[in-house]
Amino acid sequence: EVGERNVMVRPLEENMTVTEDFSRVENTYQMEAEVCIVFRDFGKMQNVCNLLIEKLGTSVTISPPHFYHTPEAIDTLRRQVCVAAVGNTQQKAQEVCRLFGQSLGKPLLIREEETKEWGGHIDSPLSNSPESLTLQERIQSATAYASCRVFAVFEIKGKENRRNKLL
């Protein structure tokens, strides 16, 4: 059996790489292509997979997705959670002030006390085999969560005037 093999890897776009494997065995040629795409939108990934299966049928194999979080995505999550915690604190302070007929002024001090993160386990060969988990279980395992506890001191203004009470 006389054979020849040629492999070419090329990036097509920022989030896509194509590996083409050409081989020749005697008088026949065979080409296999592996396309790796990084998706930020799970729904879009599902649509592309469905389209490939619909158009290419059994000639295409879709591997299970590999989930991960970029450092930028984790930083964004932390910021969003902290901003939400400050917003919740302000809302609660506003409600307490209304209870006593006062109005909430500007913040005098805002301090991030504690931030916790959990989940977001990245697929690894050492963990349970990806094939042994359902897609939903893999998504749940890869989902990252964060919480933030903040301390805030707000200025309290005097009694609300009558017009503000009507609003």
Side-chain angles (χ1 to χ4, degrees):
E1 195 174 281
V2 177
E4 203 177 293
R5 188 175 187 153
N6 185 12
V7 176
M8 182 171 61
V9 178
R10 60 190 165 102
L12 284 183
E13 294 178 20
E14 179 183 343
N15 296 326
M16 184 185 311
T17 304
V18 176
T19 304
E20 295 171 337
D21 185 353
F22 296 96
S23 57
R24 178 178 161 221
V25 178
E26 295 179 359
N27 293 332
T28 62
Y29 290 91
Q30 179 178 339
M31 184 197 123
E32 289 184 20
E34 177 182 81
V35 180
C36 294
I37 305 172
V38 176
F39 288 94
R40 296 183 189 280
D41 179 337
F42 187 77
K44 187 174 181 181
M45 181 206 69
Q46 285 184 309
N47 291 340
V48 169
C49 290
N50 290 339
L51 179 68
L52 288 171
I53 290 170
E54 178 185 319
K55 298 295 182 189
L56 301 174
T58 58
S59 68
V60 67
T61 303
I62 307 286
S63 299
H66 172 75
F67 299 106
Y68 72 95
H69 301 285
T70 63
E72 296 82 12
I74 295 297
D75 287 343
T76 299
L77 176 63
R78 284 187 200 113
R79 275 194 306 281
Q80 289 172 340
V81 167
C82 184
V83 168
V86 170
N88 290 343
T89 301
Q90 182 182 21
Q91 185 178 357
K92 287 179 184 179
Q94 183 84 46
E95 291 171 12
V96 170
C97 283
R98 281 195 196 119
L99 203 69
F100 294 105
Q102 305 291 313
S103 63
L104 188 66
K106 64 182 180 184
L108 301 175
L109 171 69
I110 298 174
R111 182 175 57 229
E112 188 175 340
E113 298 273 299
E114 178 183 37
T115 301
K116 291 182 183 177
E117 298 169 27
W118 65 98
H121 302 293
I122 295 174
D123 295 338
S124 75
L126 301 175
S127 66
N128 290 342
S129 149
E131 291 79 26
S132 68
L133 298 175
T134 67
L135 183 59
Q136 198 61 35
E137 290 169 333
R138 293 181 71 219
I139 291 170
Q140 186 175 2
S141 174
T143 301
Y145 300 92
S147 70
C148 181
R149 186 166 45 96
V150 297
F151 174 80
V153 176
F154 294 94
E155 178 182 70
I156 296 178
K157 296 181 180 176
K159 298 235 180 228
E160 293 180 329
N161 65 34
R162 185 174 277 216
R163 188 181 69 160
N164 283 349
K165 283 188 177 179
L166 296 175
L167 293 177

